[in-house]
Amino acid sequence: LSFRLKNHYLDLHWTFRRSPGIKLLESRLWENRRSCLLDGNLCQIPSDSMQLLLLVLGMADDVFRGHLIQRSLWDIRLLLQHMEPLDWQEFLTQRESEGLKPLVINILALVIHALNWRTCDPGLHQALAENDHLLLVRDHEDAMALINSGPLGLSNRHWVARLQPVPIWVYWLW
């Protein structure tokens, strides 16, 4: 459900992202929340790492539907550029326990390669190098193939299905 008031957008979801085999607890979303001041109101927001995870999961849905837009790429890039330094090993260990590590690694690689972003966090580059065996997006050409596939691209659906913690046929039937 989306709302728009002038230049302000609000996107509401009934539930956290759901998928077979993923063990993501909604309660974790607010564990390390932060406070921020927005138009004079004190608001609670998820931690930077949880915001990153939410953006990555949203982008994975966009890739699956063949509806990836530049804004999604830039949302992740800008968050990464402005957030507190992240312990990538800890972040990815948590994602592994949730069944999300291959998906997260590949979405982050997609952002880096699609935007030709050579100056991103060295820790992120190191994390991608250490998880090279999980990467399906290895260069700009791979990234652009996903971005340009269009809404009926079965290759995107297959790409996302391959990154799930369950067999592809289970994901397709879900």
Side-chain angles (χ1 to χ4, degrees), residues 10 21-23 25 42-43 46 52 60-62 74 79 84 108-109 135 139 145 149 151 165-166 174:
L10 177 63
I22 291 178
K23 303 171 202 88
L25 300 175
L42 190 61
C43 300
L52 176 61
D61 286 349
D62 293 344
W74 283 99
L79 177 62
E84 295 293 322
L108 293 171
L135 289 176
D139 55 32
S149 72
V166 295
W174 178 74

Side-chain angles (χ1 to χ4, degrees), residues 105-124:
I105 287 286
N106 278 279
I107 292 293
L108 293 171
L110 175 59
V111 170
I112 289 169
H113 292 305
L115 299 176
N116 287 314
W117 188 22
R118 309 257 187 266
T119 59
C120 78
D121 178 355
L124 176 54

Side-chain angles (χ1 to χ4, degrees), residues 6-7 9 12 14 18 21 33-34 41 53 61-62 66 70 73 80 89 96 99-100 114 124 152 154 157 159 161 170:
K6 297 182 184 176
N7 290 332
Y9 297 91
L12 299 177
W14 178 255
R18 300 173 91 193
R33 65 184 169 262
R34 297 183 305 131
N41 298 304
L53 180 59
D61 286 349
D62 293 344
Q70 288 285 324
L73 299 165
L80 288 170
Q89 186 171 6
E96 187 167 31
L100 290 167
L124 176 54
L152 300 176
L154 286 178
R157 292 174 185 262
W159 184 85
V170 171

Side-chain angles (χ1 to χ4, degrees), residues 84-110:
E84 295 293 322
L86 188 61
D87 179 338
W88 287 103
Q89 186 171 6
E90 180 183 326
F91 179 77
L92 292 175
T93 297
Q94 184 62 47
R95 302 300 73 86
E96 187 167 31
S97 72
E98 298 161 346
L100 290 167
K101 185 176 178 179
L103 183 67
V104 169
I105 287 286
N106 278 279
I107 292 293
L108 293 171
L110 175 59

Side-chain angles (χ1 to χ4, degrees), residues 29 34 45-56 79:
L29 176 65
R34 297 183 305 131
I45 59 173
S47 67
D48 287 344
S49 63
M50 276 296 153
Q51 288 183 56
L52 176 61
L53 180 59
L54 291 171
L55 288 173
V56 164
L79 177 62

Side-chain angles (χ1 to χ4, degrees), residues 10-40:
L10 177 63
D11 189 18
L12 299 177
H13 296 268
W14 178 255
T15 186
F16 216 36
R17 307 288 179 184
R18 300 173 91 193
S19 190
I22 291 178
K23 303 171 202 88
L24 190 58
L25 300 175
E26 290 184 39
S27 60
R28 292 206 58 244
L29 176 65
W30 298 105
E31 274 181 1
N32 298 310
R33 65 184 169 262
R34 297 183 305 131
S35 297
C36 75
L37 202 56
L38 182 64
D39 289 334

Side-chain angles (χ1 to χ4, degrees), residues 39 44 48 83 113 121-122 137 148 156 162:
D39 289 334
Q44 299 293 310
D48 287 344
M83 63 190 257
H113 292 305
D121 178 355
V137 177
N148 294 325
N156 281 27
R162 288 176 59 192

